[in-house]
Amino acid sequence: MKPQTLLSALSLTLLLAACAGPQAPGTVNGANPVPGSAEDLGTRPVAVGPDTVEPAFDNVPVVSGHVHAPDPAPTFRDLPRDARLGAATIPRGTRLSAQALPANAQTDKVELRVLVLSSGEGDFGLDSARAMLQQSGVPYDVLDASGQTLDQSRLINADGTGKYQGVILTSNALLTQPTSGVYISALDSSEWETLFAYEAAYKVRQLALYGYPGVAPEDYGLRAVPGAETSTTSMTPNAAGKGIFTDLTGTALPIQYAYSYPSALEPVTGVTTTPLLTDPQGRVLAATSTAADGRERLLITTSQNAALLHTQLLGYGLVQWLTKGVHLGEHRRFLQVDIDDFFSAGDHLNSATGQLYAKPFRVSAGDLISVDYQQNDLRKDFKVASQFRYALVFNGGGAKTSSLGSCLFYWLGSDQLTSISKCLKNDFDWVNHTKDHLRLDVIDYKTASEQIAGNFTIGSKLGLPVNRKSLVTGEHSGLGNMDPSDDGTHNDDDVNLPKQDLGLTRSNPNMLAAADSAGVRYLGADHSVASQWDASCVTCGVQHPLNPNLFLVPRWPINMHYHVTNPAEVLKSYNSIYAPGGTRPYWDHALSYTEFLDKESDLALNHMLGGGAFPHYLHQTNLNQYALGKSVASDWVRAALTKYSRYSTLPLNTYHWDQLGDYLKSHTLEEKAKAAGTLGAVWDRTTNVVAISSRGGSVPATLTGANSGTPYGAYRALSSTVNGTVNVAVTPR
């Protein structure tokens, strides 16, 4: 623990002067501006090294919480490491008779919707198909080929328009394996003929997420290389692949836990095959192929899983290829990092004893100056994160509103942290975290209002650009994840009551009413609590069931715990849980700090590639400058950005919290309308105009591929509100 004594003005001046060179702090070009003047506040404070002493603090809220321990690694289910395939047998057609196209076929018009064909129970590719479509907001239907007949009525509407703009096969032959080593297609020959006739007539692309490169049900011009089968390899895009996977850097994508059939080209009459992804030996792992009837197909010979890195990274490019870059919805990625409990003091873990220090920890002015430089360095070092900034989720009860606002003389203020926060107010996003971080599960309206509205008032007095529609309650309290026997007598102390997910209907109505009355529209929620996120729509937020004015923004917890300030403390807490002998042992050894950052950045990468606009949250303790220009919070962000930038060039969005809430609510309303079938679109490819229609009143709609709109990656997305029908010009790729 740092000593709790004040730096004298002289010693601090000498320290800053030593860091800054011959010009002393508190001067500009040799002049002495007035503390708090425009000249003072317009000057960037000089970075200082780690504090040798910590300014005293008193009468600030002390946050004593519990360690939130999410799973230490991505959850892999139904891994396809043994997903072996073989030559397919196609049953003779018995379900259908020959089907000619209807007389009214409008082959140049298709709905903006994708058909996913599954082989039935145990189809590991189905989750992957769903995930990549959901991440891009593409509407889709699933047909279980093992129990449903694929006839013309499933492909063509009564008015002759096509029902689908693209088809995904979870495996190229929709294989079932009734007995070991025997592979039978779930579709019979007449159903395959019906599908191929539709794709040819309506010029619909077909994506096979995984396939054995043989000849049935059709030939892609590839053959498996005997003996090359593997579950561990890598794939690299060639020049043609980079044209489809426009967001990839070209770095080889690792393939683990996924079976692959490296292949070679095979000349086939009428078939043109173009390799896209190859293994280290140059063998083909993915290729486009044009059939003799003109149909465009893409086959991947590596199995997929929604939680595996190569599947997540390929999804964006695959969807854009399948839809020709024109589809409802958009693919967008985010990096939002919240720092909770700002202005408060918090528990502080002793890495030697594993106990808490007697005195809690509160970041210093020097720490915040360093964090400002750190986030600037992150923006500079990572092009994909040019918008990045921390959101400071603050408890105004720990600030001193009367403290001098100054960039050069902050050490003269009655509270240095408040003073430097006034200086750096425009460099961070500011979010209401209640005045004193009280537990709001059981609390009266008056107190809840004092905590919520009162914190907005403090933010205004401090001159902070606070988000006026957003609130994160302490420990996400008041939302039904609570001790069912809580009587409200421990709302302002450090008793850690055991929590149960009682559901959002057990939210505290007094908290909801106080938030609503204060103008709050967006509430931070806990993504690790089942009732506080929507499993049916993985990129959606949640409308609060008790108050239609309040919308939940789920936040990801991470394993950078609330009471750690340096790497040693991080490891002490983490390994006490996940190392051998820990409370939830997972790894086979105690991790080093490098290993810890590697594992946690895997989780962050998983979340970022998932496309959800959900913040990660840390705590003010994690901002401590433990070494020159370093904090464990920024170490984690840097590790995540390093890993992301290794593979992808798609920008990561960082929104102000109110903007984030607006985006997520609009996105959720759109996704729910598409799922309900009340929002849809038809693409006329003779005119390249998409007619977007809403049958459920006014709803948000987003169209990727529009001629106007906001560019993101290689495509534009146009967002609008639709009530009835709106026509939008598009350019396919």
Side-chain angles (χ1 to χ4, degrees):
M1 184 66 175
K2 297 175 181 177
Q4 306 299 318
T5 57
L6 282 169
L7 273 178
S8 71
L10 176 61
S11 62
L12 183 59
T13 299
L14 291 174
L15 173 61
L16 294 179
C19 295
Q23 179 176 294
T27 67
V28 179
N29 297 324
N32 291 297
V34 176
S37 65
E39 189 177 16
D40 172 13
L41 292 173
T43 304
R44 193 176 189 198
V46 177
V48 298
D51 299 331
T52 54
V53 294
E54 184 177 87
F57 60 88
D58 55 16
N59 299 320
V60 302
V62 175
V63 178
S64 296
H66 65 284
V67 171
H68 205 139
D71 289 340
T75 301
F76 300 132
R77 297 184 178 89
D78 302 322
L79 285 173
R81 70 180 77 193
D82 295 319
R84 297 171 186 266
L85 304 177
T89 298
I90 311 298
R92 179 182 292 274
T94 57
R95 299 180 183 177
L96 298 174
S97 57
Q99 293 191 309
L101 289 177
N104 68 340
Q106 301 186 63
T107 57
D108 284 322
K109 289 186 177 182
V110 292
E111 290 189 49
L112 294 190
R113 198 170 190 87
V114 166
L115 176 63
V116 179
L117 291 174
S118 165
S119 60
E121 185 177 357
D123 186 342
F124 53 80
L126 182 56
D127 285 346
S128 299
R130 283 175 167 154
M132 66 176 58
L133 293 170
Q134 288 174 359
Q135 287 161 11
S136 291
V138 176
Y140 65 93
D141 294 324
V142 176
L143 185 142
D144 180 350
S146 69
Q148 297 173 287
T149 300
L150 179 62
D151 58 18
Q152 201 173 84
S153 67
R154 292 189 182 272
L155 299 171
I156 303 174
N157 289 308
D159 66 355
T161 57
K163 289 187 175 182
Y164 301 105
Q165 66 176 133
V167 175
I168 294 180
L169 309 175
T170 54
S171 66
N172 68 318
L174 294 178
L175 291 180
T176 62
Q177 192 174 178
T179 58
S180 179
V182 176
Y183 301 98
I184 308 295
S185 174
L187 291 181
D188 66 24
S189 59
S190 60
E191 290 173 298
W192 281 114
E193 290 168 5
T194 299
L195 176 65
F196 295 160
Y198 172 75
E199 292 174 347
Y202 284 81
K203 298 179 179 60
V204 168
R205 286 176 172 173
Q206 172 188 291
L207 165 64
L209 284 180
Y210 179 38
Y212 184 80
V215 298
E218 58 177 334
D219 200 328
Y220 287 82
L222 293 173
R223 296 292 182 271
V225 175
E229 304 89 3
T230 180
S231 60
T232 304
T233 183
S234 64
M235 56 172 59
T236 303
N238 58 18
K242 290 177 182 178
I244 290 176
F245 302 103
T246 57
D247 60 310
L248 298 183
T249 63
T251 300
L253 310 184
I255 298 174
Q256 295 179 308
Y257 315 116
Y259 210 72
S260 299
Y261 287 95
S263 305
L265 293 174
E266 177 76 10
V268 176
T269 302
V271 173
T272 302
T273 305
T274 304
L276 304 175
L277 300 167
T278 57
D279 72 2
Q281 289 73 41
R283 298 171 297 205
V284 181
L285 295 176
T288 52
S289 178
T290 303
D293 59 3
R295 291 181 305 111
E296 296 178 84
R297 309 161 298 177
L298 195 158
L299 171 68
I300 305 172
T301 64
T302 293
S303 53
Q304 309 299 319
N305 182 280
L308 291 177
L309 181 59
H310 72 276
T311 300
Q312 292 176 319
L313 287 166
L314 293 178
Y316 174 74
L318 291 174
V319 168
Q320 299 307 323
W321 176 86
L322 179 67
T323 63
K324 302 180 182 179
V326 176
H327 61 81
L328 282 177
E330 65 174 337
H331 190 110
R332 190 167 287 269
R333 295 176 185 163
F334 291 83
L335 177 61
Q336 307 277 156
V337 182
D338 294 349
I339 306 295
D340 287 6
D341 310 339
F342 196 77
F343 290 132
S344 291
D347 290 345
H348 184 189
L349 181 69
N350 185 323
S351 61
T353 66
Q355 304 300 311
L356 298 179
Y357 286 102
K359 186 171 181 62
F361 176 88
R362 183 178 186 243
V363 292
S364 70
D367 293 333
L368 189 62
I369 294 171
S370 179
V371 169
D372 192 44
Y373 278 87
Q374 290 166 35
Q375 69 178 9
N376 283 340
D377 287 343
L378 290 167
R379 288 194 290 263
K380 180 177 62 178
D381 294 345
F382 298 99
K383 185 178 179 180
V384 294
S386 61
Q387 302 174 0
F388 177 73
R389 67 172 61 196
Y390 286 110
L392 301 183
V393 187
F394 72 98
N395 303 121
K400 302 290 188 293
T401 58
S402 61
S403 190
L404 170 73
S406 175
C407 298
L408 300 173
F409 304 96
Y410 58 86
W411 41 271
L412 294 176
S414 57
D415 177 48
Q416 293 185 21
L417 181 59
T418 300
S419 294
I420 203 65
S421 295
K422 289 181 176 181
C423 162
L424 299 174
K425 63 183 180 181
N426 293 320
D427 292 358
F428 300 98
D429 200 31
W430 296 89
V431 184
N432 189 342
H433 198 36
T434 73
K435 176 176 173 287
D436 298 306
H437 203 281
L438 300 188
R439 186 177 291 111
L440 304 184
D441 295 321
V442 182
I443 205 165
D444 61 86
Y445 175 83
K446 180 177 181 294
T447 307
S449 183
E450 290 170 349
Q451 288 296 308
I452 298 169
N455 205 42
F456 279 129
T457 299
I458 292 172
S460 296
K461 289 181 179 179
L462 291 169
L464 304 177
V466 179
N467 291 270
R468 296 299 306 182
K469 296 190 292 185
S470 301
L471 169 69
V472 179
T473 59
E475 296 184 10
H476 305 106
S477 58
L479 293 175
N481 184 38
M482 57 178 289
D483 180 356
S485 64
D486 187 359
D487 61 3
T489 58
H490 299 293
N491 290 336
D492 59 352
D493 61 26
D494 60 357
V495 174
N496 296 320
L497 301 172
K499 294 186 177 184
Q500 298 178 35
D501 182 8
L502 305 179
L504 290 175
T505 56
R506 281 294 299 273
S507 297
N508 183 351
N510 294 322
M511 183 277 288
L512 300 179
D516 190 356
S517 178
V520 170
R521 294 296 172 261
Y522 305 120
L523 283 171
D526 189 337
H527 203 293
S528 67
V529 176
S531 68
Q532 295 182 21
W533 66 284
D534 187 349
S536 70
C537 179
V538 295
T539 59
C540 291
V542 178
Q543 189 70 54
H544 200 289
L546 300 183
N547 189 318
N549 291 331
L550 298 175
F551 185 82
L552 303 189
V553 177
R555 304 194 307 160
W556 294 107
I558 69 170
N559 281 303
M560 188 83 73
H561 299 145
Y562 83 104
H563 56 4
V564 299
T565 71
N566 60 46
E569 294 165 9
V570 168
L571 294 179
K572 183 67 175 181
S573 183
Y574 184 88
N575 287 327
S576 71
I577 300 170
Y578 301 118
T583 56
R584 287 172 52 194
Y586 187 92
W587 307 114
D588 61 3
H589 66 285
L591 299 192
S592 68
Y593 190 55
T594 298
E595 290 173 317
F596 165 83
L597 290 174
D598 180 57
K599 301 302 183 185
E600 284 298 302
S601 59
D602 280 346
L603 285 168
L605 182 62
N606 183 284
H607 296 161
M608 289 187 287
L609 295 175
F614 307 138
H616 291 83
Y617 67 95
L618 296 92
H619 298 84
Q620 60 92 22
T621 46
N622 307 143
L623 296 183
N624 172 54
Q625 186 182 199
Y626 71 84
L628 184 63
K630 287 183 173 292
S631 67
V632 293
S634 292
D635 287 349
W636 175 82
V637 175
R638 181 170 290 276
L641 285 172
T642 298
K643 196 161 286 185
Y644 179 87
S645 297
R646 184 180 304 157
Y647 302 112
S648 181
T649 62
L650 272 185
L652 293 167
N653 294 281
T654 301
Y655 289 169
H656 293 285
W657 244 87
D658 283 355
Q659 180 189 11
L660 181 71
D662 289 343
Y663 171 85
L664 188 57
K665 183 172 184 179
S666 176
H667 172 80
T668 301
L669 290 172
E670 179 178 350
E671 293 305 300
K672 295 298 183 181
K674 287 186 287 194
T678 58
L679 178 65
V682 175
W683 180 10
D684 185 338
R685 291 174 300 188
T686 60
T687 60
N688 272 327
V689 171
V690 170
I692 309 173
S693 300
S694 169
R695 298 189 301 276
S698 181
V699 295
T702 308
L703 180 66
T704 292
N707 290 350
S708 58
T710 304
Y712 183 69
Y715 301 88
R716 287 184 178 272
L718 177 66
S719 297
S720 61
T721 299
V722 177
N723 189 359
T725 300
V726 173
N727 293 319
V728 181
V730 298
T731 300
R733 291 179 177 247

